[in-house]
């Protein structure tokens, strides 16, 4: 066909599209501190029957109550434990990776007895040394966005074959990783530094568990648990964040079986949507000793009731498959939420949690992230810790590492930087080194 009339036709279609296309109504976003509505945060230490929670034993019960509400109303329900047929194999070990600075292991985990069923690929780096030469290492565990090969330029990492979101910057076209994606997120992982500080660091591509698109929840792990489609799931069924969080617990199962890793000293971390995921994983699975939320924002560390930056309606509209369908009932009704995100952080108590914001990341509401960390404090105090220990939001680049809860806000944009890693490592040195 002659390209000219083709282009003309396309131009006419674009010009007429506002007339014919049913455009969703604009969802307002507030960036004005003066327009934050008055809100009353639900008290983590008042049980559903109105009774005050005054001791650790009563908190155990209250904790289950809160987990139930977050499961039913926000993230959807998580199936218990690991599937019976789950098994794994170490597919490669290189004890002289990164120029001799690390040991690299790759492990494939199948969630059923079948080798053609849902699976994930775990990549682990740890400090060098012969097998069994050291006491088990503390470890960091987190998902990556573009396949394991994105975390370091190491040519020995197996290239992901999984579906992934297109990304022009990283030249991901046709939804598959290319050789060009090696190391594209190396600065977000800082693997050489983490390993040099004595930690193992493990990662999985989040799309192995659930593709980050609507169809994702009905495939792979979603299919294994008969989730159904994003729109037809039962209203309290899990969404992508629930599936990803479950996968972090399965990765921990695998790390726990490795005699070179100390599973009682594992930090789970994540950036942005994967920070939301790390918090939900850490809230549910008490084996995680430290939980790190990097710029997790709405549905993560940020208080929903402030309605600042991304709000519940916006997130449910852009990503209708991330949360339980029940969460949509709070679109433009944040004040009606039975829980808010300070209670999610409180579910981690008395284990360590680190919430981090970036100054220019207003979409994620840095102040809301700080306030949630702060208002988890009473639960930490009940369990014998001070929590964050400050009432006011610290200045940029002035981290507060409290007893149990830490918070920092750095200059710059939505990202994980070596500055963030330095803070996480300092925090880990305090709580994971014994
Ligand atoms: C979008 C989304 C956020 C999310 C972020 C990310 O901006 O609205 O909620 O945290 O993507 O994951 O990078």
């Amino acid at each position: 066909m002659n390209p000219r009339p083709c282009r003309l036709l396309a131009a006419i279609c674009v010009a007429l599209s506002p007339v014919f296309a049913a455009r969703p109504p604009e969802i307002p976003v507030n960036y004005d501190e003066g327009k934050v509505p008055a809100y009353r945060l639900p008290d983590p230490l008042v049980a559903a029957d109105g009774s005050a929670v005054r001791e650790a034993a009563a908190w155990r019960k209250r904790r289950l109550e809160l987990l139930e509400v977050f499961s039913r109303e926000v993230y959807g329900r998580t199936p218990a434990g690991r599937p019976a047929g789950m098994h794994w194999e170490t597919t490669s070990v290189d004890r002289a990776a990164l120029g001799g600075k690390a040991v690299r292991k790759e492990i494939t985990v199948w969630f059923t007895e079948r080798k053609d069923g849902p699976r994930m690929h775990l990549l682990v780096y740890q400090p060098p040394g012969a097998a069994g030469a050291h006491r088990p290492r503390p470890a960091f565990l987190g998902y990556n966005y573009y396949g394991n090969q994105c975390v370091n330029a190491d040519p020995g990492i197996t290239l992901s074959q999984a579906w992934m979101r297109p990304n022009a910057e990283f030249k991901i076209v046709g939804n598959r990783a290319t050789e060009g994606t090696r190391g594209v997120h190396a600065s977000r992982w800082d693997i050489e530094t983490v390993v040099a500080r004595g930690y193992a660091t493990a990662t999985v591509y989040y799309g192995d568990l659930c593709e980050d698109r609507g169809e994702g929840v009905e495939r792979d792990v979603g299919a294994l648990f008969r989730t159904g489609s994003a729109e037809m799931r039962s209203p309290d069924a899990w969404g992508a964040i629930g599936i990803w969080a479950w996968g972090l617990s399965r990765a921990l199962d695998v790390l726990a079986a490795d005699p070179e890793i100390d599973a009682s000293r594992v930090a789970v971390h994540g950036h942005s949507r994967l920070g939301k995921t790390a918090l939900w994983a850490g809230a549910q699975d008490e084996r995680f000793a430290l939980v790190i939320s990097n710029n997790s924002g709405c549905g993560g560390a940020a208080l929903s009731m402030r309605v600042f930056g991304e709000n519940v309606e916006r997130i449910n509209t852009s990503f209708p498959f991330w949360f339980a369908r029940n969460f949509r009932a709070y679109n433009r009704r944040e004040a009606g939420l039975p829980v808010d995100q300070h209670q999610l952080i409180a579910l981690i108590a008395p284990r360590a949690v680190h919430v981090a914001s970036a100054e220019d990341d207003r979409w994620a509401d840095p102040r809301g992230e700080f306030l949630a960390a702060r208002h988890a404090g009473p639960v930490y105090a009940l369990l014998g810790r001070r929590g964050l220990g400050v009432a006011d939001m610290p200045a940029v680049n002035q981290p507060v590492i409290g007893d149990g809860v830490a918070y920092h806000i750095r200059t710059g944009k939505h990202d994980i930087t070596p500055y963030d890693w330095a803070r996480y490592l300092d925090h880990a040195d305090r709580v994971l080194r014994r």
Side-chain angles (χ1 to χ4, degrees):
M1 201 180 183
N2 183 335
R4 266 168 196 247
C6 225
R7 251 182 261 139
L8 186 66
L9 197 64
I12 294 170
C13 287
V14 169
L16 290 180
S17 61
V19 182
F20 295 117
R23 296 227 282 174
E26 201 48 43
I27 299 167
V29 171
N30 174 41
Y31 284 122
D32 180 350
E33 205 52 56
K35 292 200 177 122
V36 168
Y39 59 89
R40 218 187 130 138
L41 291 182
D43 189 335
L45 293 179
V46 175
D49 66 4
S51 62
V53 175
R54 292 209 186 84
E55 49 201 48
W59 168 251
R60 294 305 300 167
K61 204 166 147 238
R62 171 68 175 143
R63 188 176 178 278
L64 296 179
E65 224 172 65
L66 283 171
L67 276 173
E68 162 64 18
V69 182
F70 276 108
S71 301
R72 193 183 62 228
E73 304 295 321
V74 183
Y75 301 103
R77 298 186 185 283
T78 307
R82 66 166 99 155
M86 175 171 145
H87 66 289
W88 57 90
E89 272 167 30
T90 302
T91 54
S92 77
V93 179
D94 181 352
R95 292 210 164 256
L98 305 182
K101 293 198 193 103
V103 175
R104 183 191 62 239
K105 299 174 185 169
E106 292 183 308
I107 301 148
T108 300
V109 183
W110 292 270
F111 296 116
T112 64
E113 43 297 299
R114 299 170 61 123
K115 293 276 193 280
D116 58 354
R119 78 200 77 171
M120 67 177 173
H121 302 283
L122 183 66
L123 167 69
V124 184
Y125 284 97
Q126 65 189 49
H134 297 272
R135 64 185 281 242
R137 307 282 187 183
F140 286 88
L141 167 66
Y143 282 122
N144 64 72
Y145 279 98
Y146 290 109
N148 291 344
Q149 77 289 337
C150 79
V151 306
N152 193 280
D154 179 355
I157 305 174
T158 304
L159 193 69
S160 174
Q161 301 298 314
W163 178 93
M164 55 190 68
R165 290 181 301 139
N167 182 307
E169 187 192 344
F170 302 151
K171 304 195 175 47
I172 297 173
V173 281
N175 302 108
R176 299 285 158 199
T178 60
E179 286 292 331
T181 57
R182 288 194 183 278
V184 290
H185 270 174
S187 66
R188 285 191 173 184
W189 287 80
D190 215 2
I191 285 177
E192 285 85 351
T193 308
V194 176
V195 169
R197 296 268 296 250
Y199 293 88
T201 180
T203 186
V204 171
Y205 168 53
Y206 78 137
D208 282 358
L209 282 287
C210 177
E211 295 169 358
D212 195 357
R213 55 174 170 167
E215 301 94 297
V217 297
E218 34 181 336
R219 303 159 74 113
D220 303 308
V221 173
L224 178 62
F225 290 98
R226 298 192 170 80
T227 306
S229 70
E231 294 309 314
M232 302 301 284
R233 299 170 278 163
S234 105
D236 62 351
W238 62 1
I241 292 175
I243 297 176
W244 296 326
W246 177 89
L248 289 169
S249 289
R250 303 293 72 81
L252 182 56
D253 296 341
V254 177
L255 293 176
D258 182 339
E260 297 190 291
I261 306 283
D262 182 349
S264 72
R265 295 188 291 153
V266 174
V268 64
H269 63 97
H271 169 63
S272 209
R273 67 199 67 187
L274 298 177
K276 310 179 207 297
T277 300
L279 285 171
W280 180 225
Q284 296 177 92
D285 190 336
E286 294 182 279
R287 295 174 300 167
F288 289 114
L290 166 64
V291 181
I292 296 169
S293 151
N294 193 88
N295 306 179
S296 63
C298 181
L303 292 175
S304 300
M305 289 184 190
R306 274 172 48 80
V307 202
F308 188 103
E310 188 173 31
N311 57 50
V312 171
E313 184 181 28
R314 272 299 277 261
I315 204 163
N316 279 328
T317 306
S318 317
F319 306 100
F321 56 97
W322 278 5
F323 298 88
R325 280 173 53 215
N326 275 339
F327 194 41
R328 301 177 194 175
Y330 305 100
N331 289 354
R332 297 199 194 207
R333 265 195 68 233
E334 282 88 347
L337 275 162
V339 284
D340 208 342
Q341 303 305 104
H342 62 305
Q343 293 172 308
L344 182 72
I345 296 173
L347 286 170
I348 297 164
R351 294 166 294 137
V353 62
H354 194 129
V355 173
S357 309
E359 190 179 22
D360 301 339
D361 188 18
R362 295 195 312 153
W363 183 240
D365 186 14
R367 177 169 293 278
E369 295 182 315
F370 163 75
L371 288 171
R374 179 188 150 194
H375 289 297
V379 177
Y380 279 85
L382 179 77
L383 302 177
R385 303 216 158 179
R386 265 187 312 111
L388 199 49
V390 297
D392 295 328
M393 190 164 171
V396 286
N397 305 332
Q398 300 290 323
V400 177
I401 302 196
D403 180 21
V405 185
Y407 176 82
H408 76 257
I409 175 166
R410 62 159 168 78
T411 43
K413 64 180 177 59
H414 186 70
D415 196 3
I416 319 176
T417 66
Y419 176 90
D420 296 310
W421 270 109
R423 305 288 79 74
Y424 301 145
L425 286 162
D426 287 348
H427 193 171
D429 283 352
R430 282 172 63 158
V431 298
L432 301 183
R433 297 245 172 234
R434 327 181 260 269

